[in-house]
Amino acid sequence: MLTGIWNSVAGYVIIEIKGKGLERFLNLAVQAGIEIWHVRRTGTAAITARVSVAGFYALHALLRGQNVRVRILEKRGLIMRLSKLRFRKALLYGWVVVLALLVAASRRIWFIEVDGCDTVQEADVLAALDEMEVRVGAWRTAVHTSELGGALMESDPRIAWAGAKLFGVTLLVSLKEAEAIPELPPAGNETPASICAAKDGVITGITVYDGKAKVHVGDAVLAGQELITGVLRSDEENTLLTHARGEVIATVLYSFEATVGPTLLKPAETGETRTQTRISLFGWELPSKCFHGDEAWETVREERAGGFLLNNCFLPLTVEQIRLYALAEREAAATQEELEKAALQKAERAATEMLPKGARILSKKSETVLLENGAVRATVFITTEENIGETKEIKEPHGEQD
């Protein structure tokens, strides 16, 4: 393998040997230590072979007294190709300049990639890098990747961590954004109030801004139960009240039912038919007479009655004759599979309409039951995570307020 690589670099020639003493000549070449490979017979008295440049010149010493002739068919190898350029100095100098430019270009940064942007815009990061003189075309040695991350963190408080690495001529900047600090809700009404559960659920998180928490994470609560109380202190003489503020996140289980069947509305042919001509040019349908404006023809079944394609025309024109069958929604028998699909779609629509907009769906599963009358009842169970707290004014007396 190494010999083949060396011959490809140093160069070799493909030769043709003709004569009556081919075998004797090849034996003499092998005894003389001349390496010959890829020997192929091309005729009764002719062969082709490959030999190194030095071996080719050594073969001439063996030709004396032998009834054979040797000629070169092709020259191959890197040295051979470069030797052809010795009389084309401009081209050779051009390649030297190109190689020099490539070497010089590899010492600079030509691409900057930013990963991890969400709130922070990529343009802001590139602008910060530009102020640090890190830009496209900058020298690689002038960019200290170990210091670049800290400089980016100082330039923008939204960046919690940043790092940089060089991959060839590409600078990869990775960053992690800081989590936004939640803003406190406005104080608003100062009427004493508590936060109660608007629905049943299991608490997964509670944040209190004003008031005192009455439940903990993991507690199961019922609708109407007090979650954050506005009663800070109460005894026989004095009561300290506030307007409770906070957020109580809980998982809530919903179930939505829908029943359909035993029949379904299906499109059925009314018996009316009409014919329409459809013309297409370049794949676009041209305006033609149709009946879809009529309510009776809003739903139709199409059937191709005939047509032709002008293949020999310089314009790709297609003319089709379409027969339209008017359809109308009518009660018809349905399979259990069709009933289950329709019931599930109806239950899904009810869920979409009734689920709170801010609820995050954690899981969803469904089940169907075939009823005695042939109808199908579908139930969709959805588990959400949402804020279940609702503010309720404190009306019961708690003694004299401080």
Side-chain angles (χ1 to χ4, degrees):
M1 179 178 178
L2 293 177
T3 303
I5 295 175
W6 168 252
N7 288 327
S8 298
V9 175
Y12 62 92
V13 293
I14 301 177
I15 60 175
E16 182 184 52
I17 307 174
K18 287 185 176 181
K20 297 181 179 180
L22 294 178
E23 290 78 6
R24 174 180 172 80
F25 181 72
L26 290 177
N27 289 332
L28 290 175
V30 172
Q31 293 175 5
I34 300 174
E35 184 181 4
I36 299 178
W37 68 95
H38 280 207
V39 179
R40 299 286 186 273
R41 182 174 291 276
T42 58
T44 55
I47 61 173
T48 60
R50 299 184 182 187
V51 63
S52 64
V53 177
F56 174 75
Y57 289 110
L59 287 177
H60 285 281
L62 303 178
L63 290 175
R64 298 174 183 174
Q66 305 298 322
N67 190 19
V68 295
R69 298 188 308 276
V70 178
R71 70 185 185 95
I72 296 177
L73 297 179
E74 188 178 348
K75 298 178 181 180
R76 291 186 180 182
L78 180 62
I79 300 299
M80 295 291 187
R81 297 188 179 208
L82 292 178
S83 64
K84 295 179 181 179
L85 300 177
R86 66 182 183 273
F87 300 114
R88 304 176 66 181
K89 296 184 178 180
L91 182 60
L92 183 60
Y93 291 154
W95 278 111
V96 172
V97 172
V98 169
L99 291 175
L101 290 176
L102 289 176
V103 172
S106 65
R107 298 176 181 270
R108 293 179 179 268
I109 296 174
W110 296 110
F111 302 97
I112 299 178
E113 297 180 3
V114 182
D115 183 32
C117 284
D118 187 13
T119 305
V120 181
Q121 298 297 321
E122 183 176 343
D124 297 338
V125 178
L126 295 176
L129 292 173
D130 187 72
E131 292 180 1
M132 305 172 196
E133 298 185 354
V134 178
R135 58 181 68 94
V136 173
W139 291 102
R140 285 167 45 91
T141 53
V143 178
H144 304 288
T145 55
S146 58
E147 302 174 1
L148 201 57
L152 284 174
M153 292 167 59
E154 293 178 1
S155 67
D156 196 329
R158 297 174 297 174
I159 301 177
W161 174 88
K165 288 184 179 180
L166 280 169
F167 296 95
V169 295
T170 301
L171 175 65
L172 176 61
V173 179
S174 302
L175 56 89
K176 183 176 179 60
E177 297 181 357
E179 295 183 1
I181 301 175
E183 297 181 0
L184 293 177
N189 189 0
E190 294 300 330
T191 303
S194 295
I195 294 179
C196 301
K199 56 192 72 174
D200 301 347
V202 178
I203 306 299
T204 59
I206 181 168
T207 304
V208 179
Y209 305 124
D210 283 320
K212 184 168 60 177
K214 299 294 293 287
V215 293
H216 302 86
V217 173
D219 291 349
V221 297
L222 301 176
Q225 182 176 340
E226 192 176 41
L227 305 176
I228 302 176
T229 181
V231 182
L232 300 181
R233 179 172 59 83
S234 179
D235 51 35
E236 296 180 357
E237 298 181 358
N238 299 307
T239 299
L240 179 61
L241 303 177
T242 188
H243 186 91
R245 295 184 303 151
E247 187 178 53
V248 182
I249 305 298
T251 55
V252 181
L253 176 63
Y254 293 91
S255 63
F256 304 92
E257 286 188 0
T259 303
V260 297
T263 60
L264 287 176
L265 285 174
K266 292 184 178 182
E269 294 185 9
T270 62
E272 295 184 68
T273 62
R274 293 183 182 181
T275 303
Q276 172 184 344
T277 300
R278 181 177 296 168
I279 303 174
S280 300
L281 182 63
F282 292 105
W284 295 90
E285 184 177 343
L286 300 179
S288 57
K289 183 180 178 182
C290 64
F291 313 97
H292 290 210
D294 189 352
E295 291 185 1
W297 294 88
E298 288 183 355
T299 306
V300 297
R301 180 177 68 85
E302 296 184 1
E303 183 179 281
R304 189 174 184 273
F308 59 88
L309 173 65
L310 299 178
N311 290 322
N312 298 326
C313 181
F314 68 95
L315 293 177
L317 187 67
T318 303
V319 180
E320 293 179 295
Q321 201 75 15
I322 305 297
R323 183 173 289 111
L324 304 177
Y325 297 84
L327 303 177
E329 295 283 343
R330 294 178 179 176
E331 290 285 346
T335 64
Q336 182 177 346
E337 183 179 356
E338 291 175 333
L339 292 173
E340 289 177 353
K341 182 178 179 180
L344 285 173
Q345 289 177 345
K346 188 175 180 181
E348 290 276 1
R349 287 195 298 269
T352 303
E353 295 173 358
M354 298 182 64
L355 283 178
K357 291 184 178 180
R360 184 168 67 94
I361 297 178
L362 300 179
S363 65
K364 180 169 64 175
K365 64 178 182 179
S366 59
E367 63 180 27
T368 56
V369 177
L370 181 63
L371 304 180
E372 293 181 358
N373 62 352
V376 170
R377 181 176 65 235
T379 307
V380 177
F381 300 95
I382 298 178
T383 303
T384 67
E385 188 176 59
E386 58 186 87
N387 183 8
I388 64 170
E390 64 176 357
T391 302
K392 289 188 177 182
E393 184 179 345
I394 299 175
K395 295 182 178 180
E396 296 183 4
H398 287 271
E400 184 178 350
Q401 184 173 352
D402 289 349

